[in-house]
Amino acid sequence: MNKTKIAYFGAGCFWGVEYLFKKVPGITKTEVGYMGGKKPNPTYREVCNDGTGHAEIIKIIYDPALVTYKKLLELFFKCHNPTTIDRQGPDVGEQYRSAIFYTDKEQKKEAEDYLKVYEKEIGKKIVTEISQASEFWKAEEYHQDYYGKKGGQPYCHIMPKVNF
């Protein structure tokens, strides 16, 4: 029996991030929601109006025998611009910040190490927040698998080829 793990990433609008990660072999489930703020059980409207402190994030349940956390980090950093503060494409606000919420010391170390390597690779300062995961607040149902339900493709994310 395979043991799954959880990863949490914020890379701008959660619709596009989920669209990309759903394509990765080894990811068994995704959910979009909010984390990193102070208001319990926030609504999308509250998060978008600033003041909750939450980021739009994706919760990823994955099988580490099929996809490593390092591979998830690689995809995370390449699907958005980790050098902009509180902004991804046309979306502006603290809810769109670049963030990694780790669940254990191993994830924290891997995230910190990968950030340093990627920063050198791109030659720019990365502003991605790396924080311990807190309460995950699942977003409203209409946000779950948004592009799967509505069709189309994300407009503010870089869509790297998934070849894991």
Side-chain angles (χ1 to χ4, degrees), residues 9-159:
F9 299 122
C13 174
F14 47 34
W15 295 343
V17 182
E18 183 179 41
Y19 176 87
L20 178 62
F21 276 98
K22 283 180 93 53
K23 298 178 180 309
V24 177
I27 292 180
T28 59
K29 184 177 179 180
T30 61
E31 290 181 318
V32 297
Y34 318 108
M35 187 179 284
K38 57 189 177 285
K39 183 175 187 318
N41 201 23
T43 65
Y44 181 70
R45 182 177 301 269
E46 290 170 332
V47 170
C48 288
N49 287 331
D50 290 328
T52 67
H54 289 290
E56 289 190 17
I57 65 157
I58 181 171
K59 175 182 180 180
I60 298 168
I61 300 173
Y62 67 100
D63 180 345
L66 299 175
V67 62
T68 64
Y69 188 67
K70 184 177 179 181
K71 286 288 187 186
L72 297 179
L73 288 167
E74 177 184 330
L75 190 56
F76 162 76
F77 277 109
K78 291 183 177 177
C79 81
H80 76 296
N81 183 349
T83 68
T84 57
I85 297 172
D86 297 345
R87 177 183 201 120
Q88 288 302 312
D91 296 331
V92 179
E94 71 179 338
Q95 72 272 25
Y96 301 117
R97 68 186 180 270
S98 177
I100 298 169
F101 295 97
Y102 59 86
T103 60
D104 58 33
K105 289 177 186 178
E106 183 179 309
Q107 280 188 355
K108 179 182 181 189
K109 180 168 178 14
E110 282 190 68
E112 290 170 344
D113 291 348
Y114 194 89
L115 183 148
K116 290 174 192 170
V117 168
Y118 193 61
E119 195 169 59
K120 285 180 185 174
E121 183 180 316
I122 65 171
K124 294 181 180 178
K125 174 81 173 135
I126 292 178
V127 297
T128 302
E129 164 191 334
I130 300 175
S131 303
Q132 185 167 3
S134 56
E135 185 82 32
F136 171 76
W137 303 101
K138 187 176 175 182
E140 297 83 348
E141 190 54 40
Y142 71 92
H143 290 295
Q144 307 301 322
D145 192 24
Y146 182 83
Y147 285 111
K149 294 174 187 171
K150 302 284 185 184
Q153 286 193 298
Y155 61 91
C156 63
H157 288 88
I158 302 156
M159 288 294 134

